[in-house]
């Protein structure tokens, strides 16, 4: 049987190669055998989002959160799906839950900042990006987002 580390590495290769349909199929097969496999859950919901299937990703997120209610990755994926579906206030709630579970995740902070900006709360988005940069000064994505938010 494959270790969690080996499984993560195998699925990450598909994800990094942007083979999202193959990743989706692989995760669904894993979950048929191991319905509580949190690694496959995370990759599946992310792959569905990359395939622009937000509704299905959201359905899976809800299912998985019934099993792992405080799983930061799944909470974040649910927030991303909600944001992409235009449910910005609800998305913020799930970003907050995810960030509470993983307080150093700058990607979650950036995603929440985007939702805040979409709600017209640009000052809050800027403050959150500055907080994220304090955690990781080398994060170019956060730096670029902050510049965009400030209009630079």
């Amino acid at each position: 049987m494959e270790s969690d580390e080996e499984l993560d590495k195998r699925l990450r290769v598909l994800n990094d190669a942007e083979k999202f349909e193959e990743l989706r199929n692989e995760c669904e097969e894993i979950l048929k055998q191991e319905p509580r496999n949190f690694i496959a859950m995370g990759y599946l919901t992310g792959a569905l989002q990359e395939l622009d299937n937000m509704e299905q990703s959201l359905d899976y997120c809800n299912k998985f959160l019934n099993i792992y209610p405080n799983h930061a990755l799944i909470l974040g994926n649910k927030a991303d799906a909600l944001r992409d579906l235009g449910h910005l206030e609800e998305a913020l709630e799930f970003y907050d839950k995810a960030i509470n579970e993983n307080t150093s995740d700058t990607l979650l902070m950036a995603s929440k900042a985007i939702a805040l900006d979409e709600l017209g709360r640009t000052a809050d988005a800027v403050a959150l990006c500055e907080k994220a940069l304090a955690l990781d000064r080398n994060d170019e994505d956060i730096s670029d987002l902050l510049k965009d938010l400030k209009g630079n």
Side-chain angles (χ1 to χ4, degrees):
M1 183 166 159
E2 197 171 31
S3 72
D4 286 350
E5 186 176 297
E6 292 167 333
L7 176 62
D8 183 63
K9 183 177 180 180
R10 183 165 59 88
L11 296 178
R12 184 178 310 276
V13 167
L14 294 173
N15 187 70
D16 292 349
E18 298 183 4
K19 295 181 179 181
F20 300 117
E21 192 63 47
E22 188 177 339
L23 178 60
R24 171 192 182 166
N25 293 336
E26 184 66 24
C27 290
E28 287 176 339
E29 285 303 313
I30 293 166
L31 290 166
K32 285 179 187 175
Q33 303 299 315
E34 302 173 59
R36 298 176 65 90
N37 187 302
F38 62 89
I39 296 168
M41 289 177 189
Y43 279 106
L44 176 58
T45 56
L48 289 168
Q49 290 175 13
E50 292 294 339
L51 294 166
D52 290 324
N53 195 336
M54 297 304 155
E55 292 288 348
Q56 191 174 17
S57 177
L58 190 57
D59 288 343
Y60 273 112
C61 286
N62 288 330
K63 177 182 174 182
F64 299 151
L65 287 171
N66 284 331
I67 299 168
Y68 298 108
N70 298 316
H71 194 285
L73 176 63
I74 303 298
L75 289 165
N77 284 353
K78 180 173 180 172
D80 289 341
L82 288 166
R83 187 189 76 217
D84 288 347
L85 290 168
H87 304 288
L88 299 174
E89 291 292 344
E90 190 177 0
L92 289 179
E93 292 175 33
F94 282 91
Y95 283 127
D96 286 341
K97 290 177 183 181
I99 291 168
N100 284 340
E101 293 300 319
N102 189 352
T103 58
S104 63
D105 190 327
T106 57
L107 179 58
L108 283 171
M109 291 178 193
S111 297
K112 180 182 176 185
I114 292 167
L116 286 165
D117 185 53
E118 290 173 358
L119 282 167
R121 295 171 52 188
T122 304
D124 292 336
V126 166
L128 187 56
C129 284
E130 289 171 344
K131 179 180 177 181
L133 272 178
L135 293 171
D136 184 358
R137 290 266 173 223
N138 298 318
D139 190 321
E140 291 181 22
D141 292 332
I142 299 285
S143 294
D144 291 344
L145 177 57
L146 185 58
K147 287 177 190 172
D148 289 344
L149 291 169
K150 289 183 171 183
N152 296 336

